């Protein structure tokens, strides 16, 4: 067994910091050696950790059984009774945190853990909106996490209504909002159909991004789509001949989107940069995309490469 630290929002923070952006991670964890080790790793990558709340006794865990081209990977979550599951409104001083902040990013994994965590997430979103902070959301539907008696459709639409930047997938859009797309259509057309549906549900939505994967034998095709202010942009398709670890690739894609927006990239460059980040992550074991901007730029120019750089 090989342990790695990770988590959807933490993964995004690590990549943003590695790329040169300022990122601050907010969570609730126990004050024990396991948590301290994780915080030290975050700090080593330049992620801000001063606003982390310490409470409770258990760090949330998950276990992964790696699959291959014949059988899928499987994830078992162990989040019940974690410190984060006991989070509730009033625990975190969002008014202080959102001073001089440009973006607030959260994922659908957080409100899936407990009703208290969902309520705390709504508190954060409400305060971010009041402060004029741009709200970024990753839909991140995980069916096995929703165990506290609420269907995601009862929780997520309310949390997502102020979203300006969203990273989603076709399945989560269906679960949260009942949006259907034509399964026989191309991914470009399905993206447009999904986007049309989401823009009716999310009145503040300015940016929507999705990544798409298709497996043909041992080859993985990976590409992305972006809607920016009502216009559509599509990346090239990268053929990835070997996958080390898919977990965290969606978060790397999300981090790439946010980095592009932070740096005022043109929309086509945003989606090309994001899909390069997601592609490169799949060559790295663990949740975190330990890459830098030069590597991303090289990948955009040259695609996958097995060369040794020395």
């Amino acid at each position: 067994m090989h342990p790695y630290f990770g988590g959807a929002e933490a993964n995004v923070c690590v990549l943003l910091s590695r790329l040169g952006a300022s990122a601050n991670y907010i969570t609730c964890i126990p004050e024990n050696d396991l948590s301290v080790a994780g915080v030290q790793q975050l700090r080593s990558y330049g992620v801000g950790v001063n606003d982390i709340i310490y409470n409770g006794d258990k760090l949330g865990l998950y276990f992964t059984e790696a699959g291959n081209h014949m059988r899928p990977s499987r994830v078992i979550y162990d989040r019940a009774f974690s410190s984060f599951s006991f989070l509730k409104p009033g625990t975190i001083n969002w008014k202080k945190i959102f001073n001089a902040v440009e973006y607030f990013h959260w994922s659908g994994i957080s409100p899936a853990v407990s009703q208290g965590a969902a309520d705390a997430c709504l508190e954060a979103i409400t305060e971010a909106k009041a402060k004029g902070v741009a709200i970024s959301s990753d839909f991140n539907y995980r069916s096995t996490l929703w165990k506290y008696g609420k269907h995601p459709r009862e929780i997520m639409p309310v949390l997502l209504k102020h979203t300006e930047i969203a990273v989603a997938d076709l399945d989560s859009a269906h679960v949260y909002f009942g949006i259907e797309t034509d399964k026989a259509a191309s991914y470009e057309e399905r993206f447009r159909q999904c986007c049309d549906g989401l823009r009716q549900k999310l009145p503040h939505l300015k940016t929507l991004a999705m990544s798409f994967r298709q497996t043909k034998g041992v080859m993985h095709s990976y590409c992305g789509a972006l809607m920016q202010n009502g216009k559509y942009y599509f990346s090239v398709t990268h053929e990835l001949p070997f996958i080390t670890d898919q977990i965290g690739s969606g978060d790397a894609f999300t981090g790439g989107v946010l980095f592009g927006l932070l740096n005022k990239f043109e929309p086509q460059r945003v989606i090309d940069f994001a899909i390069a980040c997601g592609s490169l992550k799949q060559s790295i074991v663990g949740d975190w995309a330990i890459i830098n901007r030069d590597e991303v730029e090289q990948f955009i120019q040259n695609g996958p490469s097995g060369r040794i750089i020395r």
Side-chain angles (χ1 to χ4, degrees):
M1 181 176 293
H2 303 283
Y4 300 95
F5 290 103
E9 293 87 349
N11 300 345
V12 172
C13 284
V14 168
L15 178 58
L16 284 171
S17 183
R18 291 276 302 177
L19 293 173
S22 176
N24 189 30
Y25 181 53
I26 315 296
T27 191
C28 181
I29 56 177
E31 194 167 8
N32 58 33
D33 288 347
L34 191 60
S35 296
V36 168
V39 170
Q40 286 175 339
Q41 281 200 22
L42 285 169
R43 188 181 287 115
S44 74
Y45 292 122
V47 176
V49 295
N50 291 337
D51 292 313
I52 289 176
I53 300 297
Y54 294 90
N55 196 15
D57 301 310
K58 179 184 173 183
L59 188 67
L61 304 173
Y62 76 86
F63 303 88
T64 304
E65 179 189 9
N68 52 35
H69 294 286
M70 294 176 60
R71 55 194 296 275
S73 297
R74 297 184 182 276
V75 174
I76 298 172
Y77 288 104
D78 183 15
R79 301 291 175 87
F81 307 109
S82 65
S83 294
F84 193 87
S85 73
F86 291 111
L87 192 63
K88 59 184 180 181
T91 305
I92 297 173
N93 187 350
W94 296 110
K95 290 183 183 295
K96 173 188 172 186
I97 287 169
F98 288 140
N99 285 329
V101 169
E102 191 172 355
Y103 287 86
F104 171 61
H105 177 72
W106 64 281
S107 89
I109 289 177
S110 295
V113 173
S114 70
Q115 183 66 63
D119 293 340
C121 196
L122 179 58
E123 178 189 42
I125 292 164
T126 302
E127 184 60 31
K129 180 68 175 177
K131 289 274 193 178
V133 176
I135 299 170
S136 166
S137 311
D138 187 338
F139 280 28
N140 255 355
Y141 172 60
R142 301 290 183 265
S143 61
T144 57
L145 270 181
W146 289 86
K147 295 181 178 180
Y148 60 91
K150 293 290 183 70
H151 189 280
R153 202 172 294 181
E154 299 177 72
I155 302 292
M156 291 300 292
V158 174
L159 296 179
L160 288 165
K161 71 177 182 179
H162 294 304
T163 293
E164 297 176 42
I165 303 153
V167 175
D169 60 78
L170 300 173
D171 291 338
S172 60
H174 173 71
V175 172
Y176 296 161
F177 295 104
I179 294 171
E180 300 276 1
T181 61
D182 181 1
K183 294 182 180 179
S186 66
Y187 86 87
E188 293 95 340
E189 180 56 31
R190 295 187 74 186
F191 177 74
R192 289 186 177 95
Q193 292 172 8
C194 186
C195 188
D196 288 344
L198 284 175
R199 292 179 75 185
Q200 295 178 36
K201 305 289 185 180
L202 306 177
H204 303 284
L205 187 65
K206 298 176 181 176
T207 303
L208 175 68
M210 289 188 188
S211 59
F212 296 88
R213 181 193 307 276
Q214 186 175 7
T215 303
K216 301 175 183 177
V218 297
M219 189 69 71
H220 290 249
S221 298
Y222 189 65
C223 58
L226 180 79
M227 183 281 296
Q228 179 75 15
N229 295 323
K231 296 182 179 180
Y232 297 94
Y233 307 86
F234 302 95
S235 77
V236 299
T237 298
H238 292 291
E239 302 295 338
L240 307 181
F242 184 80
I243 303 295
T244 300
D245 191 347
Q246 290 182 14
I247 292 178
S249 59
D251 300 320
F253 174 77
T254 300
V257 169
L258 290 173
F259 186 78
L261 295 175
L262 279 164
N263 286 275
K264 308 292 192 295
F265 288 179
E266 291 295 321
Q268 186 62 54
R269 179 154 164 70
V270 171
I271 190 59
D272 289 341
F273 192 91
I275 210 68
C277 290
S279 297
L280 284 168
K281 165 59 197 73
Q282 295 173 70
S283 68
I284 299 167
V285 176
D287 278 43
W288 292 345
I290 312 303
I291 56 179
N292 59 45
R293 186 167 176 175
D294 285 344
E295 290 178 270
V296 179
E297 301 291 359
Q298 287 178 355
F299 187 92
I300 292 171
Q301 293 297 318
N302 304 317
S305 173
R307 290 180 59 245
I308 300 174
I309 298 176
R310 50 181 153 194

